[in-house]
């Protein structure tokens, strides 16, 4: 119930002022309490935001430190990877050199075997040619001997025929 001026207030001037004073104080108190409530809500929201900001700053710092650690670990792993790649490349070169050396040794041994076989074949060829020459000479000798024997046989036949002819005569 708000104090309202009525007809009796006109009778007492002092009571009219008193009534306005009470109305003014009631309005002032209402505005002060409303403004206080508004400020309390704003302060509560600000404190909540400050708390959230502090939490986010902490998580941001934690994430930064974690990212730095991960970057350091990644750099270390990259360096290790590069080192291992170099070692692997050098071992591949060593393996390739070893394979090439082994291949060279095999080829050298095959060349030596080929030379030995060539020498054996050359020796066998020269022996075969010598045998062929010997057989040719032998065959020529046998042919001459055969021709001589045929001539001798003809002579003997001629002599025998002559003797037979003389006997018959």
């Amino acid at each position: 119930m708000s104090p309202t001026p009525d007809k009796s207030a006109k009778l007492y001037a002092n009571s009219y002022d008193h009534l306005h004073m009470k109305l003014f104080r009631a309005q002032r108190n209402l505005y002060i309490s409303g403004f206080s409530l508004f400020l309390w809500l704003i302060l509560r929201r600000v404190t909540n935001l400050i708390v959230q900001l502090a939490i986010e700053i902490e998580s941001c710092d934690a994430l930064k430190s974690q990212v730095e650690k991960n970057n350091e670990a990644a750099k270390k792993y990259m360096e290790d990877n590069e080192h291992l790649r170099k070692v692997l490349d050098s071992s591949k070169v060593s393996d390739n050199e070893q394979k090439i050396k082994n291949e060279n040794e095999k080829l050298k041994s095959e060349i030596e075997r080929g030379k030995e076989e060539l020498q054996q074949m050359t020796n066998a060829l020269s022996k075969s040619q010598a045998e062929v020459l010997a057989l040719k000479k032998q065959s020529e000798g046998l042919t001459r001997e055969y021709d001589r024997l045929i001539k001798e046989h003809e002579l003997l036949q001629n002599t025998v025929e002559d003797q037979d002819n003389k006997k018959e005569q």
Side-chain angles (χ1 to χ4, degrees):
M1 228 167 149
S2 66
T4 58
D6 52 2
K7 294 179 184 178
S8 63
K10 289 182 182 179
L11 297 174
Y12 304 107
N14 203 9
S15 75
Y16 182 74
D17 287 337
H18 186 63
L19 184 64
H20 278 288
M21 185 180 69
K22 281 189 177 187
L23 184 61
F24 172 76
R25 285 184 182 165
Q27 285 178 343
R28 182 195 65 186
N29 290 342
L30 178 69
Y31 286 123
I32 289 174
S33 64
F35 187 68
S36 296
L37 181 64
F38 178 71
L39 283 179
W40 179 78
L41 289 173
I42 289 177
L43 285 175
R44 182 168 178 209
R45 178 71 178 146
V46 168
T47 54
N48 284 340
L49 289 175
I50 289 173
V51 168
Q52 286 178 354
L53 181 64
I55 291 171
E56 293 299 321
I57 288 174
E58 280 185 29
S59 66
C60 182
D61 289 340
L63 287 176
K64 280 183 183 178
S65 65
Q66 188 176 6
V67 165
E68 288 174 2
K69 287 178 184 177
N70 287 341
N71 283 339
E72 290 173 5
K75 285 179 184 177
K76 180 184 172 214
Y77 291 141
M78 293 285 281
E79 290 171 358
D80 289 346
N81 189 17
E82 188 65 31
H83 177 70
L84 289 174
R85 184 175 291 140
K86 286 179 183 177
V87 169
L88 183 63
D89 288 343
S90 66
S91 69
K92 282 184 181 178
V93 168
S94 297
D95 289 344
N96 288 339
E97 289 176 1
Q98 187 65 27
K99 288 179 183 177
I100 290 171
K101 285 180 182 177
N102 290 340
E103 188 73 23
N104 285 342
E105 291 298 321
K106 287 179 183 177
L107 291 174
K108 285 179 182 178
S109 65
E110 286 181 20
I111 288 172
E112 289 299 319
R113 277 188 269 141
K115 285 181 180 178
E116 289 173 5
E117 288 178 12
L118 179 65
Q119 186 65 35
Q120 290 174 354
M121 293 295 179
T122 305
N123 290 342
L125 178 65
S126 63
K127 284 181 185 177
S128 297
Q129 287 175 346
E131 287 176 4
V132 166
L133 285 175
L135 286 175
K136 277 185 181 179
K137 286 181 182 178
Q138 188 179 6
S139 123
E140 287 174 1
L142 286 174
T143 304
R144 274 187 261 125
E145 183 66 24
Y146 181 74
D147 287 342
R148 188 188 63 79
L149 286 175
I150 286 181
K151 285 180 183 177
E152 191 177 312
H153 180 62
E154 282 180 13
L155 284 174
L156 285 176
Q157 271 187 342
N158 285 340
T159 56
V160 170
E161 281 180 11
D162 281 341
Q163 284 178 357
D164 284 341
N165 281 343
K166 284 184 185 181
K167 284 183 186 179
E168 282 180 12
Q169 286 183 6

